[in-house]
């Protein structure tokens, strides 16, 4: 197992170093306006269908009440056959999925095997359990491997559930309503995509933290179809002007060129021993 | 029992915001507030559990499988924190598997129970796990061991656990008799779980049952609309 990790697994037990840092940070801002971590108040969903897995997500990232990113990518690449949707603290989901992806690439190169979804889940579970909820990542992992089509959810404390359909994030409740009503085993591709799209749409309509566009990612044995965006928001606004400055906007008043004088001081040639 | 964060210092709350945009349940710990039960009979054990996992007031998974295999003929029923019990079960599965390979024979249920107890007692301050260990081995037949929160270990002919267990102690005391048959045990377990699921908010969904004996493991599910019915006054 040590083979597949580049970073050393830290000593057993929990590492609470950052709580001291957080307390110190709060001390700096008396009156308590500490910078809030960027949360992707989100709707993410996944469905297992006949030939694979469909994952969906909205694209809004919020920082308190302001939309920080209108085209945030919440479906992260883990390996060519495994993708992961992340809800919770944006930095945590981004970094966690990055680390997982690197570890799985190394494993693939070392062993010559394609990674299995259950392996990705186990690595995530170990990491998140070790940090005892401090990493705010709610993840939906979906993928296809030689054992079949799989969909898992991993919670921030390290609990794992394996289910045929899922929705997470602040808009997850609204999305789950659509999924509970429309899910059937062995759906066809178009129906599955429509179901996930409708679920994310419900999340966007009912939740302030979700919005903008919908991304859909379809994973099958044959490959991955990542539509970003799958559906654009009908409320997008068009910019009134062009905000790029054309070359020549800033006038050049004077120009002075000073060449740097360099002399060759010493030159040595060393022959390399060749067999 | 419902408060999962009660025993642990409030580290988790420092970083989360009281922002309306992100509801509380997304940052709460996932709990298997539960009803689990295990009964010994002549030749094996019957174990059962409900299927509800909650995060606060939200049901995170309504079809959970809380009957986790540890070895071929040894299972555990999990209650308490989902993350903690899954982690402990993994560790014990590994330790027991290793032990069994070293011995070159199937492990004893008592050994599995002791491994659970060792982890649960050593880390009692950090963990929130109530576990029933049940299985069959050649030496003592069907056995049920109870490892509640805190890390005690005791063998009982019949044991219940989880938040819903409080509602069925009376039913157990009046309906359990020693030397029941396998079918009677299954009926008793199903009825007890149905009663608990009716009264406890943190238990519900379907009833998962399993029978473990020398012949192996038989699993069955009783769906929500097939649950044993009682008075609906």
């Amino acid at each position: 197992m040590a083979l597949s990790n580049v970073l050393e697994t830290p000593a057993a037990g929990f590492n609470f170093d950052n709580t001291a840092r957080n307390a110190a940070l709060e001390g700096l801002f008396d009156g308590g306006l500490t910078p809030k971590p960027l949360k992707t108040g989100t709707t993410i969903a996944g469905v297992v269908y006949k030939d694979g897995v469909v994952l969906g997500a909205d694209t809004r990232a919020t920082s308190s009440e302001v939309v920080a990113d209108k085209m945030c990518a919440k479906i992260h690449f883990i390996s060519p056959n495994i993708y992961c949707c992340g809800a919770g603290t944006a930095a945590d989901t981004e970094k966690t999925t990055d680390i997982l992806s690197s570890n799985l690439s190394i494993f693939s190169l070392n062993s010559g095997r394609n990674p299995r979804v259950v392996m990705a889940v186990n690595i995530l579970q170990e990491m998140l359990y070790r940090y005892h909820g401090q990493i705010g990542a709610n993840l939906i992992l979906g993928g296809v491997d030689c054992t079949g089509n799989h969909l898992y959810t991993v919670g921030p404390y390290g609990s794992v559930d394996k289910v045929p359909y899922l929705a997470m994030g602040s808009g997850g409740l609204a999305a789950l309503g659509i999924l509970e009503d429309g899910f059937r085993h062995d759906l066809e591709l178009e129906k599955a995509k429509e179901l996930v799209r409708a679920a994310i749409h419900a999340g966007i309509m009912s939740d302030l933290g979700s919005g903008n566009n919908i991304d859909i990612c379809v994973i099958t044995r044959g490959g991955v179809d990542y539509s970003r965006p799958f559906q654009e928001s009908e409320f997008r606004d068009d910019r009134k002007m062009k905000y790029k400055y054309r070359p020549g906007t800033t006038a050049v008043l004077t120009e002075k060129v000073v060449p740097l004088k360099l002399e060759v001081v010493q030159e040595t040639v060393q022959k390399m021993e060749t067999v | 029992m419902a408060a999962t964060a009660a025993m642990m210092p409030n580290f988790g709350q420092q970083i989360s915001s009281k922002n309306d945009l992100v509801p509380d349940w997304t940052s709460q710990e996932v709990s298997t507030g539960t009803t689990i039960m295990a009964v010994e009979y002549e030749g094996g054990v019957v174990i059962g559990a409900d299927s509800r996992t909650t995060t606060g007031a939200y049901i995170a998974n309504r079809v959970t499988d809380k009957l986790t295999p540890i070895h071929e003929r040894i299972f555990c029923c999990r209650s308490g924190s989902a993350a903690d019990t899954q982690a402990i079960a993994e560790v014990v599965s590994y330790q027991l598997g290793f032990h069994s390979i070293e011995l070159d024979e199937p492990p004893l249920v008592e050994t599995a129970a002791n491994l659970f107890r060792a982890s649960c007692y050593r880390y009692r301050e950090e963990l929130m796990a109530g576990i029933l260990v049940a299985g069959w081995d050649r030496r003592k037949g069907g056995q049920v061991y109870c490892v509640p929160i805190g890390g005690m270990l005791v063998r009982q002919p019949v044991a219940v656990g989880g938040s819903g267990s409080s509602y069925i102690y009376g039913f157990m005391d009046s309906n359990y008799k020693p030397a029941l048959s396998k079918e009677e045990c299954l009926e008793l377990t199903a009825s007890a779980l149905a009663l608990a699921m009716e009264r406890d908010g943190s238990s519900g969904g379907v009833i998962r049952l399993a029978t473990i004996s020398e012949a192996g493991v038989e699993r069955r599910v009783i769906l929500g609309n097939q649950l044993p019915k009682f008075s609906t006054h």
Side-chain angles (χ1 to χ4, degrees), chain B residues 128-152:
Chain B
M128 173 109 142
I131 297 178
L132 297 179
V133 186
W136 180 92
D137 62 37
R138 253 173 40 127
R139 208 184 275 188
K140 295 187 184 166
Q143 300 144 72
V144 170
Y145 292 88
C146 191
V147 184
I149 295 176
M152 174 183 84

Side-chain angles (χ1 to χ4, degrees), chain A:
Chain A
M1 176 55 206
L3 264 184
S4 57
N5 280 325
V6 175
L7 304 171
E8 292 280 312
T9 309
F14 308 123
N15 182 350
F16 286 116
D17 290 347
N18 278 342
T19 52
R21 178 207 71 181
N22 290 342
L25 201 61
E26 258 168 55
L28 288 178
F29 299 79
D30 12 64
L33 270 177
T34 44
K36 294 274 177 274
L38 180 67
K39 278 193 174 265
T40 53
T42 276
T43 310
I44 49 178
V47 158
V48 173
Y49 78 103
K50 202 176 71 163
D51 303 317
V53 178
V54 179
L55 297 174
D58 73 303
T59 60
R60 175 179 289 182
T62 50
S63 184
S64 292
E65 297 80 40
V66 179
V67 175
D69 189 350
K70 292 186 278 193
M71 195 54 175
C72 169
K74 301 184 190 180
I75 306 184
H76 309 278
F77 170 87
I78 302 292
S79 79
N81 58 327
I82 305 173
Y83 275 71
C84 179
C85 306
T89 309
D92 288 343
T93 57
E94 192 68 51
K95 237 12 204 180
T96 307
T97 47
D98 256 357
I99 291 174
L100 176 63
S101 179
S102 320
N103 280 337
L104 284 183
S105 316
I106 292 179
F107 162 78
S108 265
L109 291 166
N110 271 338
S111 63
R113 286 170 182 256
N114 271 331
R116 297 191 187 180
V117 188
V118 72
M119 178 175 183
V121 172
N122 283 334
I123 294 175
L124 271 181
Q125 179 176 41
E126 273 176 49
M127 179 160 69
L128 292 175
Y129 185 69
R130 202 182 330 131
Y131 284 96
H132 201 57
Q134 300 292 309
I135 297 184
N138 273 301
L139 304 166
I140 293 184
L141 240 117
V144 176
D145 58 35
C146 57
T147 55
N149 315 323
H150 305 286
L151 188 67
Y152 288 87
T153 174
V154 188
Y157 286 85
S159 56
V160 170
D161 283 308
K162 183 179 200 304
V163 264
Y165 60 94
L166 269 176
M168 299 289 280
S170 51
L173 259 52
L176 202 54
I178 302 286
L179 290 177
E180 288 281 17
D181 187 46
F183 178 80
R184 305 278 177 276
H185 282 291
D186 297 327
L187 282 167
E188 293 297 330
L189 174 63
E190 286 314 312
K191 285 221 157 67
K193 275 160 76 167
E194 174 52 31
L195 181 64
V196 175
R197 187 213 62 80
I200 304 293
H201 184 72
I204 289 175
M205 286 295 127
S206 316
D207 175 41
L208 296 178
S210 311
N212 299 97
N213 309 325
I214 301 177
D215 291 345
I216 297 274
C217 181
V218 181
I219 311 170
T220 56
R221 289 200 85 111
V224 172
D225 174 24
Y226 189 171
S227 319
R228 179 174 149 76
F230 180 74
Q231 181 186 68
E232 289 201 325
S233 152
E234 61 254 37
F235 299 105
R236 53 171 303 170
D237 52 272
D238 295 309
R239 298 246 153 88
K240 301 284 187 286
M241 292 170 49
K242 285 202 180 304
Y243 294 101
K244 270 194 144 79
Y245 293 104
R246 50 170 183 78
T249 307
T250 309
V252 178
L253 297 179
T254 51
E255 196 176 310
K256 180 175 174 185
V257 178
V258 178
L260 277 175
K261 287 212 194 64
L262 295 174
E263 313 172 0
V264 177
V265 174
Q266 190 190 33
E267 191 177 321
T268 46
V269 175
Q270 188 174 35
K271 283 223 171 76
M272 191 175 73
E273 289 274 336
T274 48
V275 172

Side-chain angles (χ1 to χ4, degrees), chain B:
Chain B
M1 168 63 219
T4 56
M7 276 166 58
M8 290 168 275
N10 238 1
F11 287 109
Q13 299 313 305
Q14 275 183 308
I15 311 187
S16 73
S17 63
K18 303 229 179 358
N19 194 350
D20 280 337
L21 286 181
V22 183
D24 275 334
W25 58 261
T26 51
S27 58
Q28 286 212 14
E29 185 162 356
V30 176
S31 151
T32 51
T34 269
T35 316
I36 49 177
M37 178 164 161
V39 191
E40 286 175 19
Y41 69 92
E42 179 68 49
V45 291
V46 165
I47 55 176
D50 73 304
S51 69
R52 183 172 288 185
T53 323
T54 48
T55 26
Y58 176 62
I59 299 175
N61 188 355
R62 60 182 170 82
V63 284
T64 329
D65 185 7
K66 304 181 191 177
L67 307 176
T68 309
I70 301 296
H71 204 263
E72 230 183 295
R73 284 178 179 70
I74 305 177
F75 269 63
C76 77
C77 310
R78 302 182 289 111
S79 74
S81 153
D84 287 346
T85 51
Q86 282 175 1
I88 298 172
E90 289 258 328
V91 165
V92 172
S93 295
Y94 161 74
Q95 292 171 332
L96 198 66
F98 194 83
H99 167 75
S100 171
I101 289 173
E102 275 188 328
L103 249 51
D104 197 25
E105 76 179 40
L108 300 176
V109 188
E110 192 174 345
T111 312
N114 270 293
L115 287 171
F116 270 108
R117 194 254 309 136
S119 292
C120 292
Y121 183 72
R122 176 176 291 247
Y123 297 107
R124 55 185 301 168
E125 301 303 326
E126 289 87 19
L127 294 173
M128 173 109 142
I131 297 178
L132 297 179
V133 186
W136 180 92
D137 62 37
R138 253 173 40 127
R139 208 184 275 188
K140 295 187 184 166
Q143 300 144 72
V144 170
Y145 292 88
C146 191
V147 184
I149 295 176
M152 174 183 84
L153 171 61
V154 69
R155 180 180 173 188
Q156 295 177 302
V158 59
V160 291
S163 58
S165 63
S166 336
Y167 303 98
I168 51 174
Y169 279 111
F171 178 81
M172 292 306 310
D173 288 339
S174 56
N175 287 65
Y176 173 74
K177 292 169 248 319
L180 289 170
S181 73
K182 179 173 106 170
E183 289 311 317
E184 286 169 333
C185 283
L186 282 164
E187 237 181 83
L188 178 71
T189 310
S191 301
L193 289 172
L195 284 167
M197 283 154 67
E198 193 75 14
R199 286 289 179 179
D200 179 28
S202 314
S203 305
V206 305
I207 294 181
R208 293 197 188 274
L209 294 166
T211 316
I212 311 170
S213 63
E214 181 172 7
V217 177
E218 268 174 49
R219 300 198 62 151
R220 63 186 85 167
V221 179
I222 301 180
L223 296 181
N225 56 354
Q226 300 161 346
L227 292 175
K229 290 192 173 35
F230 298 91
S231 156
T232 51
H233 65 271

